[in-house]
Amino acid sequence: MHDVSKALRADGATPELVALVDIILGAATQIAQCVRQGALAGVLGSTDDENIQGETQKKLDVIANQLLKNALLQCTDVCALASEEEDTPVVGNPEGKYLVAFDPLDGSSNIDINGQVGTIFTIFPALRDIAFDSEQQFHQPGTQQLCAGYVLYGGSTLLVVSVGGATRCFTLDAASGNFVLTQASLDIPADTQEFAINLSNQRFWRPAFKQYVDDLIAGDTGPRKKNYNMRWNAAMVGDVHRVLMRGGIFSYPSDSRNPRQPAKLRLLYEANPMAFLIEGAGGKAWTEAQRILTLQPTALHQRVAVILGSANEVDTCLAYLK
Ligand code: AFP
């Protein structure tokens, strides 16, 4: 048995769930090859299409989506899947036990600059009291996730995954094609001096959030009495990975740029899986008013404000917003 299967079985996952994660990893390994080959594989640049979010699709968005879709639809345990790149759920086997949702390639704007990108995924149980092909299947709070994870295509290809216990990190061994356990349990320090927030949006923030960030920037001359450093990857997967590795606070708050879309990150396949992993590593993940995992979804591509990371820093941020 490979490391991922062994660890997930030890964490209580059923053989079927482990097999499903293995299928996702098979597709992710192919995506990793495309990312690594880049221009040599002709996969850089944009298509002429837009997704449901109104964003221009990159060639790699489409390729990654197709690889995951093809692999998952061959699995009889998959009832339906949802993707950032699909307007509506894609139906699999009506009797399938699982729902899978994913952002096939998070951080698409990094593709053409050789920056970090990743695949974020989550698995929910299929609900027997709701039609198998209904979008309502996916309207489950994040607490119901059976498994959440991401594959980060960076200097190394990493898998970070949890089935509800520890958040574990594996590294893809290019020689064997296996993900090898490299950190058995991630543990986010409660305090931090690092933040990841896109400061170019500050004129659109609510005053309380702006005050919080102003006080971070004021450093040891302000009320926080310590200096902070800033990092921004423009790929949630990269920013959250850094927080999982060494602590920090990551936030994409609500703003007033577009009144019809006050938040940017998607609940189902971005905020929920990341919140699951962050909590498994001892951190906190909230919207501006509520624990992310307890939100009752109302739409497939619903967007939410996100504040996550080192527990004490998230608490401080939330205290400003009260
Ligand atoms: P994609 O999934 O479309 O690549 O979007 C990435 C993302 O939603 C998230 O990963 C980043 O945190 C965020 O966008 C970066 O957004 P800005 O460009 O507004 O900083």
Side-chain angles (χ1 to χ4, degrees), residues 111-283:
I111 294 170
D112 296 340
I113 60 156
N114 202 17
Q116 282 184 328
V117 289
T119 297
I120 308 173
F121 62 90
T122 176
I123 302 173
F124 284 90
L127 303 174
R128 291 293 157 233
D129 53 344
I130 292 177
F132 77 98
D133 55 355
S134 164
E135 180 186 309
Q136 304 273 332
Q137 285 279 354
F138 288 92
H139 294 187
Q140 301 186 43
T143 47
Q144 300 306 306
Q145 290 172 103
L146 300 173
C147 176
Y150 61 78
V151 178
L152 176 64
Y153 312 110
S156 313
T157 297
L158 302 179
L159 164 71
V160 174
V161 67
S162 168
V163 289
T167 297
R168 303 186 187 278
C169 183
F170 302 79
T171 303
L172 178 63
D173 174 9
S176 67
N178 292 327
F179 284 87
V180 178
L181 185 66
T182 40
Q183 278 175 275
S185 177
L186 304 183
D187 190 13
I188 303 174
D191 294 298
T192 183
Q193 289 181 241
E194 198 162 67
F195 68 93
I197 299 168
N198 185 341
L199 292 182
S200 69
N201 295 325
Q202 59 180 295
R203 69 186 184 283
F204 303 110
W205 293 338
R206 45 198 276 209
F209 191 83
K210 183 164 183 321
Q211 187 61 57
Y212 166 69
V213 176
D214 284 348
D215 289 350
L216 294 180
I217 294 170
D220 61 9
T221 65
R224 301 302 305 278
K225 299 200 178 335
K226 58 179 183 175
N227 292 323
Y228 283 80
N229 201 354
M230 194 204 92
R231 291 285 183 273
W232 187 248
N233 261 335
M236 184 189 199
V237 70
D239 283 314
V240 170
H241 187 68
R242 189 183 52 256
V243 169
L244 281 164
M245 290 294 124
R246 66 180 189 209
I249 184 167
F250 165 89
S251 181
Y252 214 115
S254 60
D255 62 44
S256 61
R257 259 179 302 175
N258 174 356
R260 279 178 292 114
Q261 189 185 293
K264 168 144 185 168
L265 300 177
R266 278 54 61 110
L267 174 61
L268 178 60
Y269 39 80
E270 290 179 324
N272 262 338
M274 292 311 200
F276 198 75
L277 296 170
I278 289 284
E279 288 199 3

Side-chain angles (χ1 to χ4, degrees), residues 51-71:
N51 63 15
I52 177 102
Q53 338 273 343
E55 300 156 346
T56 304
Q57 287 178 308
K58 298 280 187 179
K59 285 184 195 166
L60 257 180
D61 285 327
V62 176
I63 293 167
N65 188 52
Q66 203 58 51
L67 284 168
L68 281 159
K69 218 166 76 166
N70 291 349

